[in-house]
């Protein structure tokens, strides 16, 4: 649940910083507000997904990073060509790319989304809540299957 190290994060004043240069305490822009960065995580991923839009925007992120689309939030592995991102920008390609150093940031408020390369994405907390929901959904499906098998 991370972003490529050179991803540009929009600050509250409209300026941009590479995610690798963002600091705890920095204030970043959200859709209609701003939030403070309270933690930064750094790591390495073997592969990333690159999403390109009709407006020429691209972003590289892990396949489980949450992205804002016109009808809500999706993990990047759920996105497909033709999906519309937050600002009426259509996805024109999705490709696997080699891995590299990645970063994720945690903010002091969950659910707002931050601007990364002008695309609204989730922060660390939002990404984790999606991962937990998916895990619970998978577990529930397995329990339902087990219950059906027991009743046969």
């Amino acid at each position: 649940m991370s972003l490529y190290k050179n991803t540009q994060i929009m600050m509250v004043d409209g300026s941009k910083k590479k995610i690798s240069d963002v600091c705890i305490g920095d204030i970043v822009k959200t859709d209609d507000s701003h939030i403070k960065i309270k933690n930064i995580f750094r790591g390495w991923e073997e592969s990333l997904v690159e999403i390109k839009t009709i407006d020429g925007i691209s972003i590289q992120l892990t396949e489980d990073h949450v992205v804002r689309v016109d009808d809500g939030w999706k993990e990047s592995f759920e996105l497909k060509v033709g999906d519309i991102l937050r600002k009426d920008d259509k996805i024109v390609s999705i490709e696997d790319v080699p891995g590299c150093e990645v970063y994720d940031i945690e903010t002091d408020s969950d659910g707002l989304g931050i601007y990364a390369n002008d695309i609204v994405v989730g922060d660390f907390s939002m990404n984790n809540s999606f991962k937990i929901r998916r895990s619970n959904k998978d577990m529930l499906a397995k329990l339902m299957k087990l219950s059906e098998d027991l009743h046969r």
Side-chain angles (χ1 to χ4, degrees):
M1 300 174 291
S2 301
L3 302 166
Y4 173 61
K5 66 181 179 178
N6 289 334
T7 301
Q8 297 289 311
I9 303 299
M10 187 177 295
M11 309 310 287
V12 68
D13 65 0
S15 66
K16 295 177 184 175
K17 271 189 186 181
K18 288 192 304 186
I19 195 168
S20 59
D21 294 336
V22 169
C23 300
I24 293 173
D26 281 351
I27 306 205
V28 296
K29 183 169 175 27
T30 67
D31 270 344
D32 55 3
S33 186
H34 57 275
I35 47 180
K36 186 186 291 187
I37 295 174
K38 72 177 189 179
N39 210 343
I40 301 167
F41 304 95
R42 187 177 104 188
W44 178 268
E45 289 290 332
E46 292 299 317
S47 66
L48 298 173
V49 174
E50 182 173 34
I51 298 168
K52 293 182 181 176
T53 72
I54 200 164
D55 288 344
I57 296 170
S58 69
I59 189 168
Q60 292 180 2
L61 60 168
T62 53
E63 69 177 18
D64 56 353
H65 203 97
V66 180
V67 178
R68 176 93 181 259
V69 292
D70 64 342
D71 61 347
W73 294 91
K74 289 184 179 179
E75 289 175 285
S76 55
F77 76 86
E78 298 174 297
L79 296 172
K80 55 190 176 306
V81 171
D83 278 349
I84 306 294
L85 299 177
R86 171 70 175 85
K87 290 189 169 191
D88 297 327
D89 195 5
K90 187 186 295 187
I91 295 174
V92 294
S93 73
I94 301 171
E95 300 175 8
D96 291 331
V97 294
C100 65
E101 185 177 23
V102 292
Y103 289 77
D104 201 359
I105 56 179
E106 183 177 19
T107 63
D108 62 1
S109 179
D110 188 27
L112 297 177
I114 59 172
Y115 282 90
N117 288 2
D118 296 322
I119 294 172
V120 179
V121 301
D123 76 334
F124 177 80
S125 297
M126 182 184 286
N127 287 315
N128 277 327
S129 66
F130 263 75
K131 189 174 184 176
I132 290 167
R133 276 186 254 160
R134 185 177 70 234
S135 177
N136 288 344
K137 193 175 183 181
D138 292 346
M139 186 178 293
L140 181 60
K142 288 177 186 176
L143 287 172
M144 296 290 282
K145 171 99 173 78
L146 180 60
S147 176
E148 289 172 8
D149 289 348
L150 289 173
H151 290 289
R152 286 187 202 164

